[in-house]
Amino acid sequence: MAISPLDQIDAQLAQRLLAAALEGGAAYADLYFEYAAGAHFGFEDEQVKSVGKGVTLGLGVRALKGDATGYAYTEELAEDRMLEAARTAGRIAASGGAPTPAALETLSTSNLYSVAEAPWERSGAEKVELLRRADRAARAYDPRIVRVEVGLGESLKDVLVVTSDGRMARDFQPMVRFTVGAVAEADGKRQTGRSAGASRRGMEQFSLAGESPEEHGREAARLAIAMLNAEEAPAGPMEVVLGPGESGILLHEAVGHGLEADFNRKKTSNYTDHVGKQVASSLCTVVDDGTLQNARGSINVDDEGNPGRRNVLIENGILVGYMQDRISARHFGTQASGNGRRESFRHEPLPRMTNTLMLAGQESPEDIVKSVKRGVYAKNFSGGQVNISNGDFVFSLTESYLIEDGKLTAPLKGVNLIGNGPEVLRKVVMVGNDFQLSGGTWTCGKDGQSVPVGIGNPTIKISEITVGGTKA
């Protein structure tokens, strides 16, 4: 991003805005400046279907006093409009003294996502050729592939966070996302397959192993073709093996949200008041790590001006702590953990996950599968529904296999996993040594806000989950 509107924001201007937010008596204020530029390309039926570009620019101002929060934003960076937003946010405190903003100190941050080749250095025609390559590879995989859809998204977000307690931090956050969907038809049956990758990189993403357009095209086609011969899934409680990588979404949704501090501050989580207690099998160590190089959920600095961090949440089954933003950290008498995140300048920061992972164990994945007499191997998920307050979940699988006598046999269709996140963690009986980070395409929704996240885990054996299939 050669030139950004945020270049005009200096410490003196930020101090004036903070003073305006504090003049009504707020105890604390912060500024979140955002400039984001992005583009997307869609390819369908062997031709370009959509091309779009977008720009986001604005300032969000938050003022805090006690338990009260004032928030306002403006889409114009003219000083009078920014002062108006600051004073509006500050009106939460109609009386009292007006603290002076602390002297600003620029925060030194990590560089977790250097870009070797920026997306805008390639022409639109070159990007469309990436889509065509994926389309050709999927169709060449098998003549039963009848439809292919390919999408490419790119973005670069420039954020500047300034706080009344003296922090000033700027970050440039890249993202490239590539998706391929394939449809296979044969003998009156129709199945779909999908492959995707995303990371905080530039166009060098496509040179990584497994990330070329051809590899994603073939993988989407492979899955669609494999599912043509899928069998109806069994039903009932049984042993389930979660494959490495993508099945980390179950950990994210059914356990991770319950470890976000705001739910525990409000006492609406299963993990409320359980710090120091056994909440999972002793085989389980769960971390939220915002410092993984180039990972989709990584952040040099969070949206409250704190450096991204690696936080151990559950260690050997014992609950160690929660993911904190500023408000919850003050409630719990601890430090913010680098998890204050927001979708854009229009939104207040909340405690959010970054890259949420279960660490590797000692078992070989082969031995884990061999240990199962009859069960389900869950490889890829399409999403599901979770009750965050108690961890109850229903997840749908897009790729799964029957395990019979220690071997993967038939591919399955129509598989749902039904259970409770905390209970499932207590039923972990084997953890593999094959940790994988997901390909990086997941987006987390909370309170109407979406942020990119990473997930990951090794192969995990659960002694029992209810499988919602159609075959007894």
Side-chain angles (χ1 to χ4, degrees):
M1 190 174 288
I3 300 176
S4 167
L6 303 196
D7 294 339
Q8 66 179 297
I9 309 299
D10 58 24
Q12 292 72 32
L13 174 57
Q15 288 276 23
R16 291 196 294 275
L17 297 174
L18 288 169
L22 295 172
E23 66 186 15
Y28 168 87
D30 57 34
L31 313 173
Y32 180 84
F33 298 91
E34 177 187 5
Y35 173 60
H40 73 269
F41 301 79
F43 194 84
E44 186 179 330
D45 295 332
E46 300 182 77
Q47 56 184 322
V48 177
K49 281 291 186 180
S50 63
V51 176
K53 290 187 176 181
V55 170
T56 299
L57 176 64
L59 162 67
V61 184
R62 180 176 65 162
L64 304 177
K65 184 176 184 181
D67 292 332
T69 300
Y71 196 84
Y73 66 85
T74 175
E75 297 176 349
E76 298 180 36
L77 296 192
E79 184 166 348
D80 60 336
R81 301 305 299 269
M82 292 192 289
L83 283 168
E84 180 182 356
R87 292 187 175 110
T88 299
R91 288 191 188 107
I92 61 162
S95 62
T100 302
L104 295 177
E105 181 177 347
T106 300
L107 187 70
S108 178
T109 63
S110 303
N111 181 12
L112 298 174
Y113 23 82
S114 58
V115 171
E117 183 187 4
W120 54 85
E121 293 177 358
R122 286 201 193 181
S123 68
E126 290 175 297
K127 293 168 186 173
V128 169
E129 179 58 22
L130 294 174
L131 309 181
R132 292 187 189 281
R133 286 167 54 188
D135 179 275
R136 288 194 295 265
R139 294 179 187 277
Y141 184 84
D142 192 292
R144 291 172 289 179
I145 297 297
V146 297
R147 184 182 178 90
V148 180
E149 296 180 6
V150 191
L152 167 64
E154 60 187 50
S155 66
L156 179 59
K157 179 188 284 190
D158 177 9
V159 299
L160 173 64
V161 183
V162 190
T163 70
S164 64
D165 58 5
R167 283 166 292 144
M168 189 168 187
R170 191 168 180 180
D171 196 20
F172 297 89
Q173 301 171 346
M175 189 71 73
V176 168
R177 190 172 191 272
F178 193 73
T179 61
V180 182
V183 178
E185 287 185 355
D187 302 324
K189 294 185 287 189
R190 182 183 178 94
Q191 293 292 344
T192 62
R194 180 178 179 277
S195 180
S199 72
R200 293 197 184 279
R201 290 186 175 87
M203 302 306 285
E204 67 273 17
Q205 167 80 5
F206 297 100
S207 299
L208 302 176
E211 297 294 341
S212 72
E214 287 80 5
E215 287 169 301
H216 280 299
R218 287 192 290 269
E219 174 61 14
R222 179 199 69 78
L223 181 55
I225 293 297
M227 293 305 294
L228 287 174
N229 298 315
E231 297 181 359
E232 295 293 334
M238 62 184 64
E239 291 181 323
V240 172
V241 175
L242 304 177
E246 290 297 317
S247 56
I249 190 59
L250 193 152
L251 179 72
H252 170 104
E253 295 288 1
V255 176
H257 280 295
L259 299 175
E260 291 168 335
D262 51 347
F263 294 120
N264 292 280
R265 175 168 53 88
K266 299 170 185 173
K267 298 188 181 298
T268 58
S269 166
N270 257 8
Y271 294 107
T272 299
D273 299 328
H274 280 56
V275 172
K277 298 180 181 178
Q278 188 89 29
V279 297
S281 159
S282 61
L283 299 174
C284 299
T285 294
V286 178
V287 304
D288 185 83
D289 192 347
T291 68
L292 299 178
Q293 198 74 32
N294 297 113
R296 181 168 165 82
S298 292
I299 44 176
N300 289 323
V301 61
D302 77 358
D303 298 332
E304 296 183 311
N306 299 301
R309 282 177 35 179
R310 180 183 188 273
N311 297 293
V312 178
L313 306 174
I314 297 173
E315 186 168 27
N316 299 325
I318 304 295
L319 179 58
V320 175
Y322 307 125
M323 290 168 276
Q324 306 277 357
D325 67 348
R326 180 184 178 86
I327 293 175
S328 293
R330 185 182 59 185
H331 171 86
F332 286 106
T334 186
Q335 298 295 313
S337 60
N339 291 96
R341 304 186 67 192
R342 65 180 102 194
E343 179 176 320
S344 76
F345 69 91
R346 300 182 178 89
H347 304 87
E348 297 176 44
L350 300 168
R352 305 294 299 268
M353 285 172 270
T354 58
N355 305 296
T356 308
L357 325 163
M358 181 182 290
L359 302 188
Q362 302 296 321
E363 309 285 350
S364 77
E366 294 80 12
D367 287 344
I368 293 176
V369 173
K370 286 178 182 176
S371 72
V372 177
K373 179 68 175 177
R374 178 177 169 80
V376 168
Y377 183 87
K379 184 174 182 181
N380 282 304
F381 292 67
S382 63
Q385 297 179 348
V386 177
N387 183 333
I388 292 175
S389 66
N390 59 21
D392 287 346
F393 65 78
V394 178
F395 282 100
S396 300
L397 304 183
T398 56
E399 185 177 11
S400 60
Y401 300 88
L402 188 64
I403 304 176
E404 296 175 293
D405 296 324
K407 296 179 181 178
L408 301 189
T409 56
L412 300 174
K413 59 183 177 182
V415 181
N416 293 314
L417 298 183
I418 304 166
N420 175 275
E423 290 181 7
V424 164
L425 276 195
R426 291 186 179 93
K427 295 180 179 178
V428 171
V429 292
M430 298 179 79
V431 178
N433 56 12
D434 57 340
F435 173 84
Q436 285 184 20
L437 191 66
S438 157
T441 61
W442 292 96
T443 297
C444 175
K446 177 181 176 182
D447 289 355
Q449 297 190 41
S450 297
V451 297
V453 295
I455 58 173
N457 60 270
T459 298
I460 299 169
K461 179 180 173 182
I462 314 295
S463 60
E464 183 181 287
I465 297 183
T466 298
V467 176
T470 58
K471 186 176 178 182

